[in-house]
Amino acid sequence: MKILELRLTAFGPFTDRVVNLSAGSHGLHVIFGPNEAGKSSALRALHALLYGIPGQTSDAFLHPYESLRLGGHLRLSAGDEIEFIRRKGNKGTLRALDGTRLDDRALDRFLCGVGHDQFEMFWGIDHAKLVQGGKDILEGHGDLGESLFAAGTGASHLGSLRRELDEEAETLFAPRGQKRLINQGIGLLRDIKGAQRDVLVSADEWTRHDRTLRELEARIGQLTERLQRLIREKSRLARLKRVLPLFAERDEVRRRLADLGDVVLLAPDFSKRRQDAETALHAAQQNLERAVRDLQEQEGLVATLGPTPTLAVESDAVTDLHQRLGSHRKAFSDRPALVGQRDEQRTLARRLLGELRPDLDIAGAETLRRYLGRRARIQKLASERGRLDERSDTAVRRHRDAQEQAGALARELSSLPPARGPEKLVGAIEEARRRGDAEAEREKLAQAAYRDAAQRDAAIEKLQIPAAMIDKLEHLRVPTVTAITRFERAAQALDEEARAAKSEHQRITKTMREVDATIEALRTKKAVPTEEDLAAARARRDGAFGLLRDQWEKARDVAAQALELLGHGKLIDLYPGAVTAADGVADRLRSEADRVAELAQAQEERGRLARDLEEADAAALRHQAAVGELAAEWRDAWKSVLVVPPPIHDGRVWCQDFARVLERSEAVIEARQQHDELDRWIEEQVKSLRAASTSLEATEHPAHGLSMTVATAQRLRQRIEGEERVRVEHARKTLETNQEIHDAEAAVRAAQTDLEAWQRTWHEAVGGLLHGDDPLPDDALVALDGFEKVLRAIDDAADFEVRIAGIDRDAETFRADVRALAGRLGETAAVEGGSEDAWVEGLHRRLAAVLQEDERRRLARTRFERLRTDVVRDDAANEAARLTISALREEAACGADGDLVGAEQRSADKRRYQADFDRIEKDLVRSGDGASIEELEGESVGADRDAIEVRLGANGTELLEVDRILVEARDARATAQAELRRLQGPSVASERAEDIQATLARLRGDVIRYARLRVASTLLARRIDDYRRKNQAPLLLRASTLFREVTVHSFERLEADVEDDRPILVGVRPNGARVPSHGMSGGTRDQLFFALRLAAVEASCTAGEPMPFVVDDILVQFDDDRGAAALRVLADVASRTQVVLFTHHQQVRAGAEAVTAPAMVIVHAL
Amino acid sequence: MFRFLHAADIHLDSPLVGLDRYESAPVAAARGATRRAFENLVHLAIDEEVAFVVLAGDLYDGDWKDYRTGLFFVEQMTKLREADIPVFIVAGNHDAASQLTKNLRSPDNVHFLSARKPETRLVEAFDVAIHGQGFASRAVTEDLAAAYPVGDPGLFHVGLLHTSLEGREAHATYAPTSTQVLAQKGYQYWALGHVHKREIVSKDPWIVFPGNLQGRHAREVGPKGCTLVTVNNRAVAGVEERSVDVLRWAVCRVDVDGAATTGEVLDRISRALTAEANRADGRAVAARVELTGSAACHEEISANPDHWMQEIRALAVGVSTVDVWIEKVHFARDRPIDLAVLAARDDALGSFLREVAAAANSPDEIAMLREALADVRVALPAELLSGDDAVDPHAPELLTRLIVEARDLLLARIVREGTAR
């Protein structure tokens, strides 16, 4: 198959690009595209053309997905060709040139069963595959089989593929492995089966456990019953043991209660209340006595203490002065340091001022303070100055750039082609497109005319009109419709007549047959006597009588006459017979008169019918003549048209057909006229388009039709419009650049104005800051910092001054206060002469003693008041206690206080005995295990207290024993139940069975996988070996030649050798040296693979339909000589099949152009 | 009016076959499946308040010895006893050989009909007579039904029989009989067992195989369960199939013809699996996936079928809320390119394909492949070398299949390595 043309209608960067690959018998086509030119897109397009545009493509950046279009023109060796369009999509992507849809498999015949994968693998090579091929040879140690098979299939990584298969298989199984999946699975299966046997529960095992359990249940039942019996007995004995002493105790308490007799029951708190009242009375008496005594003592003490002294009155003033004394002293000690600091700040201020403004003294420095107030403004102005400078610079730079851009645009304008007005061309194109696809329309008209003419001719032939008349159809004198109608009616009338006559004839003959039959029937049934019969019978009678008379009268021998008349016999004997016969006929005539009449009527009828028949025959003859006349008239009407006219009843149809023929004939003429008119129009359009094109540019027009011419013109139009767009774009840019220059100038001016305004403001801000002119921004800022320091030092000195003055003022106030106090205390003399500090100190100490004394005095008075209150309270308490005791006496019904204790004792005894009785009864109820006291008394009657203990002992021993046995039995039962429960649970064995099936399922899958891999590996090794054996000789021979060429005779040939019992490939130097693959350089190995591949491709071209061999930039690593040699070799291959070489490299293109024979080399630049 | 349940072929505790427990497999869904199906049967009987239950043989698997299985059966029968539902059972071929049947002590509502001669039991409350004869030995080849008594017109008669009738595909011939013989007995309903596929053999009289209770492998597909029979006026008024299976087997055929990408193939499989899962009424599904047709991405799949098997298994996890277990995947053999055309070319790939195709018929090549597989064959346990799912690597039909699969694998991997796409 050869690709004649690859049309890049809309694909990648291409629009309506055509690569003509038709040159050469096959041709080496070098498609050259520098980077970005779309070389890779073109290569993808070639694949996409043949096998479809992939769903995800990188070639839809200019044209959207749905618009991607490719076109192609292919040819098979046998000469079959196909032209088609390829669209993007999943189905129905093939179209004919006229847009009609082609079958998806329309290309199959041209692709000869080569799928896309195989085309790419075998019929293509790129740099990566070349390098991989070389590497495979190295990795396979030049294995001959692998190398040949790889070259033969285009496959790579064959060696690693075999290894991959074997390794995959080994992960599944190894004969002596344990950790491989299959080995593991087999081991697991064995383990599970073993485990399953262990967990199987047999029927015996179950039955045994079940029986044991039942026995244990029965035994536990018996033991439990016995145990309960024992427990009941034990309980009864224990009860008796408990209640017997209680009954004895109850009897004793009952007796004592009776002994007490009647007793007043006192409240339970009576005794306490009595004791409390007695204690309270006693305490109240004592308190009263003590309080009276203390009051008298305190009264004496208060009298001994005197009034409050004056110093205590001045206590606050003294304390205040003493507290101020400390700070007074501290201020005095701080004062000298403050004086020093003040002086230091003043010196600093003077020094700094001398440095910045020697013209000013400290007082004058105050004038500087206003600048500090402007500090923010000055800083803002300083930074604004920087921005203004930068803006000015930018504006200047922008102006300069715009001017440069303007210069460049001016130069570019001079390089643009002159403007061409495409209007005429556009008009011509639009006019040419006005009628749509005119050429198709013309073709349609031609076909219509042809089809109509053919149909017309066929119809004429069917109408049997002589060929000579075809051109004179419209002049033929065909009978008019009216005439035909007349003929039809006449013929119809004749037909009807004929039908009526025939029917009449049939009726007559039928009736005649019926009449004949009637006559025949009348005659044959019994001959009807006629008048003639009667006359004959009578004549015979009368003859016989005459004969008799003759015989008798004349004695004449009448025998002979009698014989003739009557037959044999005697005349005399026969005569009566004749008489009888004549009478008989006469009788019958009379008796059968109806039948006679019927016969007569029938005969008459028949006669009439015979006449009718004759009449009918005559009418038939007349009719025949009329038919003949009509036919002659018909022929006459047609004589100018047809020799043999159609039958009358077909005449109308013939005329209708003829009318259609006439119509069609007119259509033919009209279609031809339209066709000719369109043809002329197309010619005009072509001329007009070519004229319009040529007026714009010397265009070479192919001798194609209108659509091609339109397409060519359209491309020219697009190009011109493209140029126009460039020019418009250029004009827009120039306008923009001029505007930019103008804007930049304005910016420069504005920057200047702003700078001047700034200068004025600056002067306002800093004028007079320093001696002389306005300082620069940075200087001004430095000076400001200095002034700030000067003013801060001056301020600090002032602060110190204020603090010193404060100290002096406080000292004077202190001294005045001291003197005032001394005056109040009458100690003025003590503070004379500056001894204030010592006086205050002493006074403070004295005050402490005076204050202590005064506190004692106050306490004594307070105590006296409290003691007086106590005496009143204690007296009241004494009286209350007496009243309480009196009330208690009444309650206990006692006459004297002394009886109270006895009454209390009796009440308590009765209460205690009563409580004991209740307690004992409660104990009885509690100890009685739910029985009533009466029942217990019943049970106890006659009980032997001493025997109870013995019986209890025996019962306890038996109880322990039974209980022990029962516990054992229950344990055994629990064990048996657990065992049964275990047996009853989910079937572990069935879970193991499930595990076995799961393991088998896994193993089945793994075994199939393993076997598939092993079979694949084995088959591949075998096939590689087979291929080597069958193809080694021819392939090596051809590859030798190619290798020699490509290596520029650095190697003489390739040979098979053996290494480690395995055939390998070696190169042989001209000097006979044998170089194994690993001894070759990487590039040479690549070339070795290249030679093998080409040999295989050539062999395949011979074996079947050759396919184009697509080479993608493989020569980059070849040196110049080998590159040129490789191109020669490819040119050589091109004599067997089309070779399409894609390249980015100029030197490859140049090298290809330099190749001469043997095949044609065509370079296409993208 | 009353109803009764008819079930057969319960095969308690027999495992499901062919389910590889791959990583995401819903293993719990298959655990104890036959037990859970049997529990469902018992619940159904109680919920439907049936008059009685008939079981037509094969409660157990013949060679199954674990007594726990029998205890489980007794436990379930006890539940029916509590609901006052009697159960009538004939032993099937499997039960005849089972140790369990002989030793088990069943509750008094369970009646095993005699294996020596036909036995008739009456359910007096409903005027029902149940006739049946169990299998005394594993292989019963005489027509047991022939000796069943003729039914008395005043009662409703149920004939209980474990039989292959005139013969059923894939089932051994046991107690053969014919519909004519059965029809002559004058019974209204014949409750049969042994054939694992549901079938209504006749409607006059009713002759019904309910199928087995739970499908156990990929050849037992579709709903499985029992038959609920409604009787009115001594005549069958309704026969309903009730599914009690817990895991449903399905063969999921997916046409991948024309699929452009593996994504599309997986998408189609996913849709088919979802549809299958939806049909299972919330049960887990064990699906065998069979792909047909030729996908454009055929080579990509052929290059590594194991990988795509894993993909499909992973896919199955998310297709439905019910569990889907992929039992096996049969990949399609059709391919978009015509191998015959490719094989016809006289080049390396063509001769490769021809020779591989010829290998299946070449004794030399077969011998070589057998030798390559001898190691693994020796190591395999007997279960894998025989039976329905045997994987004997020396078996001719398997070898033939392996050669085709190996060819596809090689072709796909050669093409994968040879093209840069």
Side-chain angles (χ1 to χ4, degrees), chain A residues 90-91 105 111-118 120-123 126 129 149 152-158 161 164-165 168 173 175 182 186 189 193 196 199-203 206-207 210 214 980 982-998 1000-1004 1007-1020 1022-1023 1026-1027 1030 1099-1100 1103-1107, chain B residues 13-23 30-33 35 64-69 71-72 75 99-100 103 105 258 260 299 304-306 310 313 328 336-338 341-342 345-353 355-356 359 362 364-365 368-369 371-373 375-377 379-381 383-384 389-391 393 398-399 401-403 405-407 409-410 413-421:
Chain A
N90 288 330
K91 282 197 167 130
R105 314 207 65 157
L111 298 176
C112 308
V114 176
H116 192 190
D117 291 332
Q118 208 208 345
E120 202 173 318
M121 190 166 89
F122 186 73
W123 296 100
D126 59 16
K129 281 200 250 176
F149 194 73
T153 52
S156 46
H157 298 98
L158 273 183
L161 174 55
E164 181 183 296
L165 293 170
E168 270 182 59
F173 177 74
I182 293 175
I186 293 166
L189 193 64
K193 283 180 184 169
Q196 189 191 30
V199 296
L200 269 179
V201 176
S202 70
W206 167 265
T207 315
D210 191 43
R214 281 161 200 280
L980 278 175
R982 185 180 65 75
L983 296 184
Q984 221 158 3
S987 170
V988 188
S990 78
E991 285 177 11
R992 290 298 87 77
E994 287 176 352
D995 295 345
I996 289 171
Q997 288 305 330
L1000 285 170
R1002 166 70 55 91
L1003 270 172
R1004 280 189 195 101
V1007 169
I1008 293 289
R1009 284 166 62 202
Y1010 172 79
R1012 192 193 298 134
L1013 290 163
R1014 292 289 292 145
V1015 168
S1017 169
T1018 312
L1019 287 175
L1020 179 63
R1022 181 84 169 206
R1023 295 293 78 79
D1026 283 354
Y1027 187 75
K1030 286 183 192 159
S1100 188
E1105 172 73 21
M1107 296 288 284
Chain B
D13 279 344
S14 73
L16 307 189
V17 176
L19 293 177
D20 177 6
R21 289 180 188 154
Y22 54 89
E23 196 180 336
R31 278 261 185 244
R35 277 196 181 202
W64 188 245
K65 296 185 186 64
D66 192 27
Y67 200 69
R68 282 193 175 104
T69 306
L71 293 171
F72 172 77
E75 186 186 313
Q99 295 293 315
L100 303 181
N103 291 298
R105 208 170 46 228
E299 305 301 343
N304 201 344
D306 299 329
Q310 301 307 331
R313 283 171 166 176
K328 218 177 247 181
I337 51 167
D338 190 348
V341 177
L342 209 55
R345 288 191 70 92
D346 189 16
D347 56 18
L349 214 53
S351 68
F352 169 79
L353 289 172
E355 285 166 14
V356 170
S362 154
D364 276 0
E365 301 258 1
M368 185 180 67
L369 293 176
E371 193 185 330
L373 296 169
D375 280 344
V376 75
R377 184 175 189 274
L380 293 182
E383 293 101 313
L384 292 180
D389 298 315
V391 288
L398 182 60
L399 263 181
R401 185 184 123 197
L402 286 172
I403 289 171
E405 288 182 1
R407 176 201 68 193
L409 178 75
L410 285 172
R413 291 209 186 173
I414 287 172
V415 167
R416 185 188 65 189
E417 299 295 353
T419 57
R421 282 179 301 124

Side-chain angles (χ1 to χ4, degrees), chain B residues 143-204:
Chain B
D143 181 354
L144 293 181
Y148 279 29
V150 173
D152 152 20
L155 296 173
F156 181 83
H157 297 273
V158 177
L160 199 50
L161 181 63
H162 195 75
T163 176
S164 57
L165 273 185
E166 293 100 336
R168 284 289 182 277
E169 191 186 344
H171 289 85
T173 300
Y174 286 123
T177 185
S178 66
T179 48
Q180 288 77 8
V181 171
L182 301 186
Q184 282 160 9
K185 298 295 175 188
Y187 300 173
Q188 287 86 337
Y189 188 91
W190 277 95
L192 306 189
H194 183 56
V195 174
H196 285 194
K197 192 170 161 48
R198 282 179 174 175
E199 185 182 351
I200 293 177
V201 181
S202 157
K203 291 188 177 177
D204 185 23

Side-chain angles (χ1 to χ4, degrees), chain B residues 10-14 34-35 38 58-61 64 69-70 72-73:
Chain B
I10 290 145
H11 294 275
L12 269 178
D13 279 344
S14 73
T34 52
R35 277 196 181 202
F38 192 59
D58 286 359
L59 295 176
Y60 314 113
D61 257 11
W64 188 245
T69 306
F72 172 77
F73 175 74

Side-chain angles (χ1 to χ4, degrees), chain A residues 30 35 73 138 250 342-343 486 557 586 600 631 633 682 688 726 767 845 864 873 884 909 945 1027 1096 1098 1109 1119:
Chain A
V30 179
N35 286 333
H73 187 179
L138 179 66
R250 190 180 68 163
R342 180 194 63 193
D343 294 346
R486 187 170 52 77
D557 185 7
E633 248 179 86
I682 287 170
S688 147
V726 169
R845 275 194 301 276
F864 176 76
R873 185 197 63 208
T884 307
D909 285 350
R945 192 181 298 178
Y1027 187 75
E1098 281 189 354
F1109 187 56
D1119 64 27

Side-chain angles (χ1 to χ4, degrees), chain A residues 895-912:
Chain A
D897 290 357
D899 297 342
L900 280 173
V901 175
E904 276 174 28
Q905 183 62 49
R906 282 192 302 280
S907 169
D909 285 350
K910 180 170 181 181
R911 209 177 275 282
R912 194 172 68 248

Side-chain angles (χ1 to χ4, degrees), chain A residues 640-914:
Chain A
S640 69
V641 184
L642 290 175
V643 178
V644 181
I648 292 171
H649 56 83
D650 287 344
R652 184 181 294 272
V653 174
W654 194 95
C655 285
Q656 283 164 356
D657 287 350
F658 182 73
R660 274 199 289 278
V661 167
L662 273 183
E663 273 171 31
R664 185 152 286 150
S665 183
E666 279 160 22
V668 168
I669 290 159
E670 194 179 335
R672 280 181 184 154
Q673 280 167 353
Q674 282 179 359
H675 174 269
D676 294 348
E677 189 267 327
L678 190 57
D679 195 43
R680 276 193 303 282
W681 183 84
I682 287 170
E683 277 308 308
E684 278 166 25
Q685 296 311 317
V686 168
K687 267 189 216 146
S688 147
L689 279 169
R690 290 190 179 172
S693 301
T694 318
S695 74
L696 287 168
E697 160 179 313
T699 312
E700 190 186 327
H701 285 285
H704 288 307
L706 179 61
S707 58
M708 290 300 283
T709 313
V710 169
T712 312
Q714 182 66 14
R715 281 197 292 280
L716 178 58
R717 174 192 172 176
Q718 283 170 351
R719 203 162 61 245
I720 289 172
E721 284 175 349
E723 286 167 9
E724 188 51 30
R725 276 196 296 280
V726 169
R727 196 169 287 108
V728 168
E729 175 67 7
H730 188 275
R732 188 185 58 74
K733 277 188 193 158
T734 308
L735 260 180
E736 281 174 6
T737 309
N738 288 340
Q739 182 64 43
E740 172 68 8
I741 290 172
H742 182 261
D743 291 352
E745 279 169 0
V748 170
R749 277 196 303 277
Q752 195 57 41
T753 312
D754 289 352
L755 201 57
E756 283 162 10
W758 183 86
Q759 289 286 8
R760 282 191 298 279
T761 319
W762 180 251
H763 180 73
E764 282 166 21
V766 302
L769 179 71
L770 290 179
H771 226 44
D773 294 338
D774 292 344
L776 291 172
D778 287 348
D779 293 345
L781 292 174
V782 169
L784 273 181
D785 287 347
F787 291 152
E788 193 178 8
K789 282 181 198 152
V790 168
L791 290 169
R792 200 185 307 129
I794 291 172
D795 291 346
D796 288 351
D799 284 350
F800 287 128
E801 185 60 40
V802 167
R803 283 171 66 191
I804 292 166
I807 289 170
D808 291 349
R809 195 174 55 245
D810 290 349
E812 190 48 43
T813 311
F814 180 75
R815 274 193 294 272
D817 290 349
V818 168
R819 278 193 298 273
L821 180 62
R824 286 199 300 280
L825 292 176
E827 296 183 34
T828 316
V831 295
E832 292 296 325
S835 57
E836 292 95 342
D837 290 7
W839 183 76
V840 171
E841 204 73 76
L843 194 63
H844 186 252
R845 275 194 301 276
R846 275 190 284 149
L847 178 65
V850 170
L851 285 180
Q852 211 172 355
E853 184 67 16
D854 196 45
E855 179 63 13
R856 266 202 311 275
R857 202 175 288 121
R858 196 185 57 78
L859 285 173
R861 272 199 291 271
T862 309
R863 182 149 188 262
F864 176 76
E865 287 305 320
R866 200 175 64 232
L867 287 171
R868 207 155 50 186
T869 316
D870 288 351
V871 168
V872 174
R873 185 197 63 208
D874 293 343
D875 191 40
N878 189 27
E879 189 55 34
R882 282 182 192 288
L883 286 173
T884 307
I885 288 171
S886 167
L888 287 170
R889 217 167 42 231
E890 272 178 34
E891 195 178 332
C894 290
D897 290 357
D899 297 342
L900 280 173
V901 175
E904 276 174 28
Q905 183 62 49
R906 282 192 302 280
S907 169
D909 285 350
K910 180 170 181 181
R911 209 177 275 282
R912 194 172 68 248
Y913 292 146
Q914 193 65 51

